[in-house]
Amino acid sequence: MTIVLVSTYDLGRQPFGLASPAAWLRAAGHDVRMLDLAVDAPDVAALRAADRIGFYVPMHAATRQVVRLLPWFRGINPAARLCAFGLYAAMNAELLQRLGVERVIGGEYEAALTAWAAEPPAAAATTDRSTVELGRLAFVAPDRDGLPDASRYAGLRLPDGSRRVVGSTDASRGCKHRCRHCPIVPVYDGRFRIVPADVVLEDVRRQVAAGARHISFGDPDFWNGIGHAMPLVRRLHDEHPDVTYDVTIKIEHLLRHREHLAGLRDTGCLFVTSAVESLDDHVLARLDKGHTRADVLTALELCREASLELQPTFVAFTPWLTRNGYTAFLADLRGLGLEERVASIQLAIRLLIPAGSRLLGLPEIAACAGAFDEQALVHPWAHPDPDVDVLARGAMAIVAAGARDGLGRAGVFGRLERLATPEAPHAPEPEALGFRLPPVPFLEEPWYC
């Protein structure tokens, strides 16, 4: 069987979501080709020769691209059987199936995808077309043979201007928390699954041999299973002492397991990303984040004491934000010394309400959110104060212009302050800000959804 696996976007990383099922499918005797459209143009010849095509949809942006491209793929190869798999697959099953996708797999997809590849055409009519698989899998090391070289993906930039080739892997999937806005919750609903350390380390070993000098862990929360995570990074550091890494960890876990912060630092962790989302306790409570503003301030202090960089991400615009609240948010970031430690896009992100979101159970969301938009793949919402929506559009325009013009984080931040409080006194903007690197290591791809 000739199978083509397609990824459209995976945060600038070489997609684990292609490499992992490729290993399973090749072990089952299939001829597998992987296409990453974030890096390469579509291989039309490979698509025309495919018996089956699988689309990896791990996040919102990737799923929108797949939805847009499905009619084109169907035109290239009308006879191929299609499958969609990944976090956003089952959440958007009805739409994907209407566009010609035969099988939709959410959750832990490798075994189900391999079973689908072996399934005769006649079985399609008697098999559940959409499932969420949460069983524990016997993971095997991902097979990245055939993916674009890691050097072609987003790299790590250091404050001195040097660049490192980045590899990526997953030590776990899912999450044991149920934050209201998180797209993981409709699929995993508080469950997570461990990838065995030997599998993770073999994946890292192969990527380091191919030139990676930094590993970005894609786990939604690296410390969901801290008893798995910390021995893993100690083994990684013992084997590759010159390789650095980064992880994502919830604020509440940073506080609960603070004694392990030095362990991250000592094993080569350059920075920790944490989905802080807001510095407003009311918003944090509505999102059911499990932390408070005071917790965030404590986590920042603990990480600084451990000489470990904490880089927060935010959902800047929500239905609960006010114009004064946005001004206070920017003032908080400057006061905490975070204005260049937060990627500019994080200052303009608008709350997404995907299919099945727990947010829909809140009365204030029900009052402002519309019907599901199959083109945007969200429930669109309007702020109760139209002026805040105008502010949000202005903030996004400034961030986009900053990226286009090489303004740098400091320049974008200053312009956002002027947008939020045009009447306040501000230092004059230099005629030519120019681009300057922030004083922290960062991944070149700043998007986060």
Side-chain angles (χ1 to χ4, degrees), residues 14 52 134 138 166 176 229 232 276 310 343 384 407 436:
Q14 195 185 62
R52 307 194 183 197
L134 295 176
V166 173
K176 64 183 181 182
L232 170 62
V276 170
L310 177 60
L407 198 56
R436 82 178 187 201

Side-chain angles (χ1 to χ4, degrees), residues 139-185:
F139 284 99
V140 299
D143 186 347
R144 298 175 182 271
D145 185 31
L147 282 171
D149 188 81
S151 63
R152 298 180 60 199
Y153 290 87
L156 174 81
R157 292 288 296 274
L158 297 172
D160 65 5
S162 61
R163 183 182 189 272
R164 292 183 189 173
V165 175
V166 173
S168 61
T169 194
D170 290 354
S172 64
R173 295 197 299 215
C175 185
K176 64 183 181 182
H177 300 275
R178 301 182 71 249
C179 304
R180 277 198 181 96
H181 63 304
C182 181
I184 298 169
V185 175

Side-chain angles (χ1 to χ4, degrees), residues 375-398:
Q375 183 174 359
L377 296 184
V378 295
H379 290 269
W381 59 272
H383 197 282
D385 179 358
D387 184 52
V388 176
D389 283 337
V390 173
L391 178 64
R393 290 191 292 271
M396 185 60 78
I398 287 173

Side-chain angles (χ1 to χ4, degrees), residues 175-410:
C175 185
K176 64 183 181 182
H177 300 275
R178 301 182 71 249
C179 304
R180 277 198 181 96
H181 63 304
C182 181
I184 298 169
V185 175
V187 177
Y188 283 89
D189 195 25
R191 286 163 286 206
F192 77 107
R193 296 291 177 256
I194 290 296
V195 181
D198 288 341
V199 172
V200 178
L201 290 168
E202 178 59 24
D203 189 25
V204 170
R205 194 174 295 124
R206 294 175 185 179
Q207 293 182 78
V208 170
R213 291 298 173 266
H214 179 89
I215 300 297
S216 186
F217 283 94
D219 308 44
D221 189 329
F222 193 65
W223 278 359
N224 265 322
I226 193 167
H228 167 65
M230 292 310 296
L232 170 62
V233 293
R234 285 193 285 269
R235 290 178 62 186
L236 186 157
H237 184 65
D238 287 344
E239 186 171 343
H240 309 286
D242 297 327
V243 172
T244 55
Y245 67 92
D246 70 88
V247 294
T248 298
I249 301 176
K250 279 178 68 67
I251 292 294
E252 63 183 282
H253 285 166
L254 293 173
L255 301 187
R256 184 179 306 154
H257 304 299
R258 63 187 70 190
E259 70 275 14
H260 291 291
L261 293 174
L264 290 177
R265 177 201 63 211
D266 293 343
T267 54
C269 183
L270 284 188
F271 60 92
V272 174
T273 300
S274 192
V276 170
E277 315 301 35
S278 176
L279 295 173
D280 183 315
D281 281 335
H282 177 67
V283 176
L284 291 170
R286 304 316 286 153
L287 297 179
D288 200 10
K289 276 301 298 178
H291 66 251
T292 64
R293 173 191 173 88
D295 292 335
V296 176
L297 301 184
T298 301
L300 285 165
E301 185 59 31
L302 288 170
C303 287
R304 284 171 179 159
E305 289 174 357
S307 299
L308 185 65
E309 191 67 41
L310 177 60
Q311 298 186 6
T313 63
F314 294 96
V315 179
F317 288 92
T318 71
W320 305 284
L321 182 77
T322 64
R323 175 177 278 276
N324 287 340
Y326 188 70
T327 301
F329 167 60
L330 296 180
D332 278 338
L333 295 185
R334 187 173 286 284
L336 292 167
L338 295 174
E339 67 270 23
E340 291 192 78
R341 285 171 159 78
V342 175
S344 297
I345 187 62
Q346 299 300 326
L347 311 178
I349 287 180
R350 184 180 172 87
L351 181 68
L352 295 181
I353 308 177
S357 174
R358 285 187 66 218
L359 286 167
L360 295 168
L362 294 175
E364 58 266 48
I365 294 295
C368 72
F372 188 73
D373 183 331
E374 290 189 338
Q375 183 174 359
L377 296 184
V378 295
H379 290 269
W381 59 272
H383 197 282
D385 179 358
D387 184 52
V388 176
D389 283 337
V390 173
L391 178 64
R393 290 191 292 271
M396 185 60 78
I398 287 173
V399 171
R404 183 187 65 239
D405 301 336
L407 198 56
R409 292 181 179 181

Side-chain angles (χ1 to χ4, degrees), residues 56 85-90 105-110 131-135 137 173 187-188 193:
Y56 177 48
F85 61 97
L87 185 64
Y88 266 73
I105 307 166
E108 304 295 283
Y109 45 77
E110 286 89 347
T131 59
V132 173
E133 305 288 340
L134 295 176
L137 300 182
R173 295 197 299 215
V187 177
Y188 283 89
R193 296 291 177 256

